[in-house]
Amino acid sequence: MQLGNNMLEGPIQFCLSKIQHFSSVLNLGMNKLYEEILKCISNLDKLEILDISSNGFSGEIPSEVNNMISLSVVNIPFNLLSGRIPDSWAKIMDSHPGFSPGNPELCLISTESTNCREGDRKSHTRAKILAGILAPVLLLQSRTEDLPEDLNFEDILHATERSSDKYVIGRGKHGTVYRTQSVRSRKNWTATKVDLSKIKISMEMRTLSLIRHQNVVKMEGYSIRNGYGYIVTDYMPGGTIHELVHQEKPRRPLNWETRFLIALGIAQGLS
């Protein structure tokens, strides 16, 4: 059932478990659905892929979802979920890092998040704006982030605002790409700075969090502050293809077989 990326809004008015022999995929992502997740989805024990990302679902995830024994992918970013993630879902998300950003009150059991405390932490405030209208919501927030352990926002700020363009490694449709470095580990990272008023960052992050491919850089974290989003990915020290073909001196020989393999790798990543 593919209902994603429509303009559906409001609470879900039907019980999905009444659909007999429901299996494979349920996609409700990128809508404006809200209220708590229905416990009746826990009866979908044949469902393999569940996507409810970029909506306004709130509250705690019921423990009954542990009955969904066939699930292999659960995608829940950018909702208003809170509390602890049930065991079965936590195990799935451990194998697919990045599938739960944008839920600041949500706690992965296997992590040491500040939200993971004895007794479930209750949300003190409940956003009244639907999470499906993500960009305006983010503009109203002062900050939200989930960065790698050895990287902090000051490291990103040093490269993106307090220094010259020497840290810029690319400019694209969605923003400027910087090389930044962790002060603690000296590890290099790539941070793409995007203006939230010009891009729907939920689409960008959702795409990067879902994709696992050897020719696509992996999203390792994000930070959203003061109208700008910073998407952190692995740093590729070899530079860009443009630099390799047009700027490297002395020129590296690239025969047609090598160029074909480069083009094929790009096509596979895009696909």
Side-chain angles (χ1 to χ4, degrees):
M1 177 178 281
Q2 295 282 0
L3 298 176
N5 202 19
N6 285 286
M7 299 182 68
L8 305 175
E9 60 181 288
I12 294 179
Q13 300 287 355
F14 56 91
C15 187
L16 297 171
S17 64
K18 293 181 179 179
I19 303 177
Q20 293 184 351
H21 309 297
F22 201 105
S23 62
S24 190
V25 178
L26 171 59
N27 179 10
L28 300 173
M30 300 299 296
N31 284 295
K32 302 177 183 179
L33 303 171
Y34 59 87
E35 290 193 355
E36 296 186 0
I37 295 178
L38 298 178
K39 289 186 177 181
C40 67
I41 67 170
S42 63
N43 295 326
L44 302 177
D45 58 357
K46 297 181 178 63
L47 189 66
E48 298 174 11
I49 299 174
L50 175 65
D51 187 345
I52 60 170
S53 61
S54 298
N55 279 285
F57 291 116
S58 62
E60 299 181 3
I61 301 173
S63 60
E64 286 84 353
V65 300
N66 287 325
N67 299 328
M68 305 172 75
I69 58 176
S70 300
L71 272 182
S72 60
V73 175
V74 178
N75 193 29
I76 63 173
F78 302 109
N79 281 284
L80 303 172
L81 301 172
S82 61
R84 293 179 177 270
I85 295 182
D87 293 347
S88 62
W89 283 24
K91 291 178 181 178
I92 294 173
M93 291 176 189
D94 275 347
S95 62
H96 297 84
F99 271 35
S100 61
N103 292 285
E105 296 295 325
L106 193 61
C107 165
L108 281 168
I109 295 176
S110 58
T111 69
E112 296 181 357
S113 165
T114 54
N115 291 334
C116 298
R117 299 174 179 173
E118 289 300 323
D120 291 339
R121 177 181 176 181
K122 302 296 183 180
S123 174
H124 296 295
T125 59
R126 198 56 74 76
K128 296 182 180 180
I129 302 176
L130 295 178
I133 313 174
L134 185 63
V137 174
L138 295 177
L139 289 171
L140 292 174
Q141 294 175 345
S142 59
R143 57 170 289 188
T144 178
E145 65 185 22
D146 181 14
L147 294 173
E149 289 184 0
D150 67 336
L151 186 71
N152 56 49
F153 184 72
E154 285 67 32
D155 297 332
I156 298 176
L157 195 64
H158 175 73
T160 58
E161 292 186 0
R162 293 178 181 170
S163 299
S164 67
D165 284 352
K166 67 180 180 179
Y167 291 104
V168 175
I169 58 177
R171 300 181 190 275
K173 176 182 178 182
H174 298 315
T176 305
V177 185
Y178 297 85
R179 174 183 60 82
T180 186
Q181 188 179 73
S182 168
V183 173
R184 285 176 288 179
S185 68
R186 315 306 297 178
K187 179 178 178 179
N188 287 319
W189 299 92
T190 296
T192 302
K193 181 181 179 180
V194 297
D195 186 339
L196 299 183
S197 66
K198 298 180 180 179
I199 180 177
K200 193 167 185 179
I201 195 173
S202 61
M203 290 287 289
E204 186 82 359
M205 293 179 61
R206 180 172 181 265
T207 300
L208 287 174
S209 66
L210 284 171
I211 292 176
R212 292 293 179 270
H213 193 277
Q214 62 180 355
N215 294 339
V216 179
V217 291
K218 178 183 176 183
M219 187 181 80
E220 296 289 355
Y222 68 96
S223 180
I224 298 169
R225 301 196 186 198
N226 303 322
Y228 286 93
Y230 302 85
I231 300 175
V232 177
T233 58
D234 291 329
Y235 175 70
M236 305 298 289
T240 67
I241 294 176
H242 177 82
E243 293 169 343
L244 177 66
V245 176
H246 300 290
Q247 297 177 351
E248 188 177 83
K249 296 183 183 301
R251 290 283 183 89
R252 188 181 307 184
L254 286 176
N255 58 31
W256 285 111
E257 181 181 2
T258 302
R259 290 170 186 253
F260 170 78
L261 292 175
I262 291 174
L264 179 62
I266 294 172
Q268 290 172 337
L270 290 173
S271 176

